[in-house]
Amino acid sequence: MFSKSKINDPAPNDADANKPASSGHTAAPAAPKQNEFKASAPKAKPPASVLSSDLHVTGNMKTTGDIQVEGTVEGDIRAHLLTIGETATIKGEVVADDVVINGRIVGRVRGLKVRLTSTARVEGDIIHKTIAIESGAHFEGSVQRQDDPLNPGAKSAPAQKPNPAS
């Protein structure tokens, strides 16, 4: 009978180029190629970076991961999850999706979720989407709710105005 010519194929691939043309009536299904996309298993989340209590850092830190601070930092910190230990002191701005404060911060705090535990000492403004302050926490500054506190140019949530009765 007739065999299909490789010349008229719109986009021959490498696997087809190495096979001879078949003249049979039935075609076997092609085996999957080795380089085809396979869904990979999700990567394990790396552990938090820990700055021990005897460490003093001068300068800014930025990561997309998690940081646990037990020492002293003079500078700004930006992270996904930031945990300030009881022995920690931060002098600078803190920006994170989640902020858990057990120690001392002198500076602004920006976070989607901010939590001040009973041992927290904060001197500065807190800009948040949600906040929790435990009894015994010490706080001097202002608290402002924003829908997007991680973006410094974001406006605070507009106050709901009562609608006049018709």
Side-chain angles (χ1 to χ4, degrees):
M1 288 242 150
F2 298 102
S3 65
K4 184 177 177 183
S5 172
K6 297 292 180 190
I7 298 172
N8 294 331
D9 265 358
N13 58 23
D14 294 331
D16 291 340
N18 295 335
K19 287 195 266 179
S22 68
S23 60
H25 295 292
T26 61
K33 292 186 235 174
Q34 293 293 341
N35 61 354
E36 282 188 28
F37 174 77
K38 293 181 183 177
S40 61
K43 293 183 180 178
K45 184 178 175 183
S49 299
V50 179
L51 304 178
S52 67
S53 59
D54 63 340
L55 186 64
H56 182 98
V57 176
T58 303
N60 299 337
M61 290 186 282
K62 184 177 181 181
T63 181
T64 56
D66 302 346
I67 299 178
Q68 178 178 342
V69 180
E70 298 294 337
T72 302
V73 176
E74 293 183 29
D76 300 341
I77 302 176
R78 185 173 187 109
H80 170 67
L81 167 63
L82 178 62
T83 305
I84 309 299
E86 287 188 32
T87 61
T89 300
I90 311 295
K91 293 182 180 177
E93 184 177 37
V94 166
V95 180
D97 292 342
D98 290 338
V99 184
V100 179
I101 305 169
N102 300 304
R104 183 170 185 236
I105 295 182
V106 178
R108 181 181 301 173
V109 177
R110 290 180 170 273
L112 294 174
K113 291 181 1 182
V114 178
R115 181 175 157 210
L116 279 67
T117 65
S118 61
T119 58
R121 303 287 177 257
V122 178
E123 299 173 32
D125 299 338
I126 298 177
I127 302 169
H128 65 90
K129 187 168 184 180
T130 61
I131 190 167
I133 303 175
E134 291 182 3
S135 177
H138 176 82
F139 171 63
E140 293 181 33
S142 67
V143 178
Q144 182 180 10
R145 186 197 179 285
Q146 286 186 357
D147 286 331
D148 186 13
L150 304 182
N151 182 2
K155 300 285 183 189
S156 61
Q160 295 289 332
K161 294 181 182 177
N163 290 334
S166 305

